[in-house]
Structures are given as structure tokens and as C-alpha cells.
């Protein structure tokens, strides 16, 4: 029996059924005792009479007393047998009771407490710890990327990892602590501790992180996983159900640990709750905004640096939330990815951008960013093709930007996707080059058409000489591979001039202008004479899109 099971037994209150069984025991024992007393009473009269009759001194026992004695003996035997049967039945019932309790209160996979039982057990532990002058730390953790482990290695491997992690954690627990599996890959630990030494809990959290990271052997393969832990303590709890509140706070802290990069622990802080509320509002806002078409494309100019000629635009999504105001894509894109709305959001802004761009001069290209989630969608290339066909936009003018830092996760899938995009005539750029883990390896194995040097290197040109050397090296490498380069984040004349000296680049940045909305872009293009002749003015376009489409079809 492990620590967890022991504490379960200790924590079990006397049940009503036990009380009833105990009352029943008393009645049965009472009957047997009364029968024995009667037997002794009657026997005390009858047996001497029998003895006297045997020795020839008397006439024999009284017949009615003898019958009563025999009846009494039968009653004792009957009561004794009944008592035995009852004892056996009660033992069986207690066993079944205990089994039912185990099924209802424990997790069948790991043998730990389950979500239903941990609440009451925590409440009891909190009150006993308080009575001893101790506090209770409530830790919640889950396995990082467990879904991926399950997807790649199968559910049997996932189950083995869960059992092994539960066993390791249980071994590391001090006496009196509780371990629960809340469901899926989520666990809770409830640990009494001396409030003068909270660092013991931190040491324990560090040990758990190390223990969880040790490999687990599954069918000869060594699988590894990490955990993220959220911690809170019973004294910081104000009102409400203690266990519920502790769980809620630990959950928030765990979420924070995940966001900070996983494989670590965090104590709960009040500010985390505010952050979480803001995030929940953003999530709701994104859901509503996607369905109401609140996400719109803006366009950043792309310039041929040597000549200053405008050659195309990068589309960047913009969102003005009716409640929270303008929110940057660095914030809403990751959230849309997490809540599963990135494809819908992205397809909506790309469709709008294709409609806008078909009114531009045919020499101008359109670059769009796509998320790593979309890279994993086997239908992505088809979806994009459908949008191109619907907008009647030539694939050769479209450029898809793939951010470098995510490529190492799924190289095979990305290679297949790039191949199918290129088959359709779409070109593919490697965005934010230099920020990924193995940039050079990727450049050789993936057939990109262009690389975009990350903004951090370009803006570094205004500082130390390191950036100049890096850009020079990238330029030589790209030349060797026959890849053209775009430099992002050119925000001063001096950076532009240095780039002119370093090679033949395309460039974009605030020096040429900040991203502009559809109407502003049309205005700019109209002034440059780069708007198709049959494109209507912006105001007319807004009120008269179908007419424009009709013109285009008849042209
Ligand atoms: P990115 O694709 O690298 O886009 C360039 C970012 O740098 C843009 O920020 C742009 O406004 C900013 N930028 C351009 N020139 C300068 C400059 O001279 N100085 C400074 N300080 N910044 C400059 P933005 O629009 O906030 O976008 C951030 C990131 O969000 C983008 O990085 C891209 O990865 C992502 N993103 C934007 N729109 C979409 C979208 O529709 N789908 C997806 N999946 N990601 C998007
Ligand atoms: Mg980009
Ligand atoms: Mg970029």
C-alpha cells in the first residue's frame, strides 16, 4: 500500500452503513447471550434432576423443563449458525463496499485519487494540517505536449507514461501527502508543510520536474516528457470551498508556467488571474471578430532597394477589437492558433487581400504569412488554390511566408507542402531567417524561393559591426544557393544605404511606410499609376463591388 492509499484509508470517515452493521451485530449477540443465560438457568434445574434420576434417587427431570431445555439448545445452535452466516455476509459486504469505494474514488489507470474524491480529501487535509499549525501546498501539473506523445506513439504508450509519472511522483511525496489524477494528463498533489519553510515545496517541485523528465521505456524505445507545475498554498485562500479555490489558483499558475516556456513551476499570484481574465476576453473577442469579419488586411510596401521601385506588398492582419481597441498580431495570432481559429482567420484576410490585389498592377506581388498550424493542414494547398480561383488571382503573383522558428518540428510535412505550393506556381519565402534553430540545414533541404532576414539583424545595422557581418554571411550563403533576399525592418536611410553596399536586396520597413489599409494602399497605387484602369475609386468600390466583378468578367 503506497502513501497515497494509506492516507486514503486514514481519511475515510465511519460510514452510515458501518454504523448500521454494528447495530445489527449487537442485536444478534444479544439474542445469543439471552439464549445462553436461559440455557444456564433451565440447565441448572434440569441437569441435577437428570443426575439424581441416573443415580436412582429421583423420578427424572420435569418433562416440560426438559422440552424447554432442548428448545433452548436448538435456539443456541440456530443463533450461533445465524451469527456465523451474518458475520460472513457482513465481511463480504464490507469487501464489496471497499471495492466500490476504490472504484468510485480512485483513478483506475494510476490508482491515485480521482477528480471527484480529491476535493473532500483536500478539505480534510487542510483542516487537520491547520490544527497542527501546518499549511497545505496544492500543486497541479500536466505533461507538456502529451497530446503529441499520444498521437505519435499511440494511447498505450501514453498510458504507460502516465502510470510511470504517477508512480515516480507518489514515491517522491512526503508522508501524509495526496496524489490525484484529475483527468487526461493532469495531476494534483496536496502536501502538508511547515509554513516557515516554503522552500521545501520549491525543492520538491524541482525534484518532480527532474524526475518527470527521465525517459520512460515503451516497447524498447525511450520516450521523454516534461511537466509544468502551478503551486498555491492554503493560507492564501480567501473564502469559498478551500479545495475548489486551491485548484483554481494552481490551475492558473500552471497555465502561466506553460506560457513561460513549460518544464518549470510557478507560484500563483493575483496578477495571473487578471491576465487570464484579459485572455478569456480576447478569446471571446477573436471568436466574435472572426465571424463578424473584424480582421482586415493591411499592406506593407516591398521595395527594390537599389532602384527604390515598389515591387509588391506583404499583407499583415489587423484587428481593432470593439472592446479592447487595436490588438497586435503578435498577440491575437498565437491565441487564434490555440483556440483553433487561425485557419478561418487567415483564410478570411487572405481572401480579402486577393480581392484587393487583383486591382493592383499585375507586376506587383502579394506576400501572405501563414501559421505553423496551417502547415500541418494537408488540405492547405487546396484551400489556397480555391481562394486564388475564387479571386481570379494568378498564383505566380502570390508569395507564402513561412516562419523559420517552427520548421524543425515537422520538416517532412513542410517539405511536402512547399512542393505542392510550388507545383501550383506559388512562391515560398522563409520568414524571420536567422531566428530558428537550424537555419542552414533547413535552407539546404527545403526548396524555398527567397529568404527574409529577420528584423533584429537589419535594425542591428545601426549599432555594432556584428549585424553587418551576419548579413554579409547570409548574403554570401544565399548567393551560393541562388536565393534572393528580402531585408525586413529598414527604418532609416543609413540602414538602407548599408544594405545597398552589402548586396542586391528587396527591402521593407517603416522608412518606406507603415502598413496601410486597403483604401490607403489603393490611393498610393493610384498616385503611382499602378492601379488597374478599370478599378473603381475606393468609395465606389465599397458600394459597388458586384459591378466591378461584372466589368472584370466581361473584360
Ligand atoms: P512578420 O511577418 O515578420 O512581419 C513583419 C513585422 O514587422 C510586422 O509586424 C511589421 O509591421 C513589422 N515591421 C515592418 N517594418 C518594420 C520596421 O521598420 N520597424 C519595426 N519596428 N517593425 C517593422 P506586425 O504587423 O505586428 O506582425 C507581426 C507578426 O505577426 C508578423 O511578422 C507575422 O509573423 C505575424 N502576422 C501578421 N499577420 C499575419 C497573418 O495574417 N497570418 C499569420 N499567420 N501571421 C501574421
Ligand atoms: Mg512575414
Ligand atoms: Mg518577418
Amino acid at each position: 500500500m503506497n502513501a497515497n492509499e494509506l492516507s486514503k484509508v486514514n481519511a475515510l470517515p465511519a460510514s452510515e452503513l458501518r454504523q448500521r452493521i454494528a447495530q445489527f451485530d449487537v442485536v444478534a449477540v444479544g439474542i445469543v447471550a439471552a439464549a445462553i443465560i436461559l440455557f444456564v438457568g433451565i440447565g441448572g434445574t434440569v441437569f441435577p434432576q437428570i443426575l439424581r434420576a441416573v443415580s436412582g434417587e429421583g423420578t427424572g427431570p420435569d418433562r416440560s423443563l426438559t422440552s424447554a431445555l432442548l428448545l433452548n439448545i436448538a435456539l443456541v445452535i440456530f443463533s450461533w449458525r445465524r451469527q456465523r452466516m451474518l458475520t460472513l455476509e457482513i465481511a463480504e459486504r464490507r469487501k464489496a463496499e471497499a471495492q466500490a469505494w476504490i472504484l468510485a474514488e480512485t483513478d483506475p489507470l494510476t490508482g491515485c485519487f480521482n477528480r471527484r474524491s480529491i476535493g473532500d480529501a483536500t478539505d480534510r487535509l487542510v483542516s487537520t494540517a491547520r490544527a497542527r499549525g501546518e499549511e497545505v501546498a496544492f500543486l497541479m501539473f500536466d505533461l507538456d505536449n502529451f497530446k503529441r506523445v499520444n498521437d505519435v506513439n499511440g494511447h498505450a504508450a501514453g498510458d504507460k507514461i502516465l502510470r510511470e509519472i504517477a508512480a515516480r511522483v507518489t514515491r517522491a511525496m512526503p508522508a501524509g501527502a495526496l496524489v490525484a489524477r484529475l483527468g487526461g494528463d493532469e495531476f494534483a498533489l496536496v502536501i502538508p508543510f511547515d509554513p516557515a519553510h516554503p522552500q521545501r515545496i520549491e525543492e520538491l517541485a524541482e525534484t518532480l520536474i527532474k524526475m518527470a523528465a527521465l525517459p520512460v521505456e515503451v516497447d524498447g524505445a525511450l520516450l521523454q516528457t516534461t511537466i509544468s507545475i502551478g503551486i498555491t498554498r492554503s493560507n492564501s485562500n480567501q473564502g469559498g470551498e478551500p479545495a475548489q479555490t486551491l485548484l483554481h489558483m494552481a490551475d492558473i499558475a500552471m497555465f502561466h508556467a506553460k506560457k513561460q516556456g513549460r518544464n518549470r513551476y510557478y507560484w500563483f499570484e493575483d496578477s495571473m488571474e487578471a491576465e487570464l481574465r484579459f485572455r478569456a476576453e480576447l478569446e471571446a473577442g477573436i471568436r466574435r471578430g472572426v465571424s463578424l469579419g473584424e480582421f482586415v488586411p493591411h499592406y506593407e510596401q516591398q521595395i527594390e532597394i537599389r532602384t527604390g521601385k515598389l515591387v509588391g506588398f506583404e499583407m499583415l492582419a489587423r484587428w481593432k477589437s470593439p472592446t479592447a481597441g487595436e490588438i497586435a498580431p503578435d498577440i491575437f495570432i498565437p491565441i487564434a492558433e490555440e483556440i483553433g481559429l487561425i485557419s478561418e482567420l487567415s483564410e478570411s484576410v487572405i481572401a480579402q487581400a486577393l480581392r484587393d490585389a487583383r486591382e493592383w498592377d499585375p507586376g506587383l506581388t502579394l506576400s501572405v504569412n501563414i501559421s505553423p498550424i496551417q502547415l500541418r493542414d494537408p488540405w492547405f494547398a487546396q484551400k489556397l488554390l480555391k481562394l486564388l480561383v475564387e479571386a481570379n488571382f494568378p498564383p505566380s503573383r502570390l508569395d507564402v511566408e513561412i516562419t523559420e522558428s517552427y520548421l524543425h518540428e515537422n520538416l517532412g510535412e513542410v517539405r511536402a507542402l512547399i512542393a505542392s505550393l510550388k507545383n501550383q506556381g506559388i512562391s515560398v519565402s522563409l520568414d524571420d531567417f536567422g531566428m530558428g534553430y537550424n537555419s542552414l540545414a533547413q535552407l539546404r533541404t527545403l526548396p524555398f524561393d527567397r529568404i527574409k532576414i529577420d528584423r533584429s539583424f537589419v535594425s542591428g545595422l545601426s549599432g555594432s559591426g556584428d549585424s553587418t557581418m551576419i548579413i554579409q554571411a547570409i548574403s554570401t550563403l544565399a548567393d551560393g544557393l541562388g536565393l534572393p533576399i528580402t531585408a525586413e525592418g529598414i527604418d532609416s536611410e543609413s540602414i538602407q544605404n548599408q544594405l545597398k553596399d552589402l548586396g542586391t536586396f528587396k527591402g521593407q520597413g517603416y522608412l518606406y511606410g507603415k502598413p496601410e489599409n486597403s483604401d490607403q494602399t489603393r490611393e498610393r497605387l493610384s498616385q503611382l499609376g499602378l492601379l488597374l484602369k478599370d478599378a473603381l475609386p475606393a468609395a465606389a468600390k465599397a458600394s459597388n463591388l458586384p459591378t466591378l466583378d461584372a466589368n472584370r468578367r466581361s473584360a
Side-chain angles (χ1 to χ4, degrees), residues 300 314-318 329-330 333 342 349 369-371 374 401 403 431-432 455 488-491 508-510 515:
E300 179 168 317
E314 174 176 6
M315 187 272 282
L316 295 158
R318 290 289 177 266
D330 287 337
I333 297 277
I342 187 63
V349 283
N369 294 281
I370 63 160
S371 139
Q374 291 169 288
E401 296 189 4
T403 306
D431 202 359
D432 304 334
R455 203 166 75 209
E488 307 181 304
I490 304 172
D491 56 10
Q508 55 184 92
Y510 294 172

Side-chain angles (χ1 to χ4, degrees), residues 105-133:
E105 310 272 297
T106 62
D107 166 49
L109 184 72
T110 59
C112 300
F113 278 91
N114 59 22
R115 183 178 274 278
R116 190 158 9 130
S117 56
I118 190 63
D120 285 348
T122 302
D123 290 345
R124 285 194 293 276
L125 196 57
V126 168
S127 49
T128 48
R130 270 189 189 151
R132 282 202 303 263

Side-chain angles (χ1 to χ4, degrees), residues 3 7 125 174-178 190-192:
S7 53
L125 196 57
L178 311 174
V190 196
I191 308 161

Side-chain angles (χ1 to χ4, degrees), residues 423-443:
N423 279 341
Q424 290 167 19
I426 298 167
S427 62
V428 186
S429 295
L430 179 58
D431 202 359
D432 304 334
F433 181 74
M435 296 307 281
Y437 294 109
N438 51 355
S439 316
L440 295 180
Q442 278 151 17
L443 265 193

Side-chain angles (χ1 to χ4, degrees), residues 15-135:
S15 72
E16 229 181 273
L17 191 98
R18 280 174 181 219
Q19 275 177 12
R20 262 188 263 142
I21 288 172
Q23 283 163 7
F24 196 67
D25 279 354
V26 171
V27 174
V29 169
I31 292 172
V32 177
I36 292 171
I37 292 166
L38 217 61
F39 174 77
V40 172
I42 301 171
T45 314
V46 173
F47 286 123
Q49 287 176 359
I50 294 172
L51 281 176
R52 275 202 297 277
V54 171
S55 60
E57 287 173 20
T59 54
D62 182 313
R63 290 192 65 168
S64 57
L65 273 181
T66 308
S67 306
L69 182 67
L70 290 174
L71 206 65
N72 193 240
I73 291 170
L75 190 64
V76 170
I77 293 170
F78 173 78
S79 300
W80 175 74
R81 286 199 52 199
R82 177 107 185 94
Q83 167 68 14
R84 262 203 73 206
M85 275 168 54
L86 271 177
T87 313
L88 284 174
E89 203 180 310
I90 288 165
E92 284 293 311
R93 240 192 250 184
R94 277 185 184 158
K95 214 167 116 192
E97 254 274 284
Q99 262 163 357
W101 183 86
I102 286 172
L103 282 178
E105 310 272 297
T106 62
D107 166 49
L109 184 72
T110 59
C112 300
F113 278 91
N114 59 22
R115 183 178 274 278
R116 190 158 9 130
S117 56
I118 190 63
D120 285 348
T122 302
D123 290 345
R124 285 194 293 276
L125 196 57
V126 168
S127 49
T128 48
R130 270 189 189 151
R132 282 202 303 263
E134 285 183 339
E135 270 183 34

Side-chain angles (χ1 to χ4, degrees), residues 197-457:
H197 300 287
Q199 78 279 7
R200 301 240 163 97
I201 295 300
E202 291 173 9
E203 285 159 14
L204 185 67
E206 276 161 20
T207 307
L208 294 176
I209 286 172
K210 279 191 201 130
M211 284 174 75
L214 295 173
V216 179
E217 204 246 273
V218 182
D219 296 333
L222 290 179
L223 302 181
Q224 237 169 330
T225 177
T226 55
I227 59 173
S228 300
I229 309 179
I231 316 176
T232 188
R233 54 202 277 183
S234 52
N235 84 326
S236 50
N237 156 47
Q238 289 149 4
E241 278 288 293
Q244 283 308 317
T245 317
L246 291 171
L247 196 130
H248 175 68
M249 293 192 292
D251 192 16
I252 290 173
M254 182 181 82
F255 179 73
H256 189 80
K258 289 226 173 270
K259 240 179 43 184
Q260 296 304 312
R262 305 186 164 104
N263 194 26
R264 62 197 66 207
Y265 71 86
Y266 267 91
W267 284 93
F268 170 81
E269 285 168 25
D270 287 337
S271 59
M272 292 177 185
E273 183 131 42
E275 197 183 308
L276 205 72
R277 207 171 309 121
F278 177 64
R279 195 196 140 93
E281 281 164 17
L282 275 188
E283 279 187 21
I286 291 172
R287 281 181 209 286
R288 194 200 47 236
V290 168
S291 59
L292 293 179
E294 287 173 8
F295 292 85
V296 293
H298 274 50
Y299 303 98
E300 179 168 317
Q301 300 172 69
Q302 294 179 320
I303 306 286
E304 207 170 69
I305 295 181
R306 244 179 234 288
T307 58
K309 186 181 164 211
L310 175 68
V311 286
F313 291 91
E314 174 176 6
M315 187 272 282
L316 295 158
R318 290 289 177 266
W319 180 40
K320 190 166 177 193
S321 152
T323 49
E326 267 177 34
I327 310 282
D330 287 337
I331 299 196
F332 68 73
I333 297 277
I335 300 179
E337 286 173 349
E338 271 178 46
I339 62 177
L341 282 180
I342 187 63
S343 297
E344 217 177 309
L345 189 162
S346 177
E347 282 159 33
S348 146
V349 283
I350 290 176
Q352 295 176 62
L354 291 172
R355 279 201 299 271
D356 287 339
R358 72 182 175 189
E359 298 181 359
W360 305 342
D361 184 279
L364 294 171
T365 56
L366 171 70
S367 297
V368 295
N369 294 281
I370 63 160
S371 139
I373 306 272
Q374 291 169 288
L375 292 181
R376 284 183 219 135
D377 176 1
W379 299 105
F380 176 71
Q382 267 65 33
K383 287 179 185 167
L384 200 55
L385 191 64
K386 185 167 169 270
L387 293 178
L388 284 166
V389 170
E390 278 169 5
N392 193 20
F393 191 84
S396 58
R397 286 178 59 196
L398 185 69
D399 173 57
V400 167
E401 296 189 4
I402 298 178
T403 306
E404 187 205 14
S405 39
Y406 294 96
L407 294 188
H408 63 284
E409 282 183 15
N410 46 1
L411 215 56
E413 289 162 25
V414 177
R415 193 175 295 119
L417 178 72
I418 294 179
S420 66
L421 290 175
K422 290 184 72 159
N423 279 341
Q424 290 167 19
I426 298 167
S427 62
V428 186
S429 295
L430 179 58
D431 202 359
D432 304 334
F433 181 74
M435 296 307 281
Y437 294 109
N438 51 355
S439 316
L440 295 180
Q442 278 151 17
L443 265 193
R444 283 204 203 91
T445 63
L446 297 170
F448 286 106
D449 295 296
R450 169 175 290 276
I451 56 176
K452 296 187 73 175
I453 305 181
D454 190 69
R455 203 166 75 209
S456 55
F457 298 118

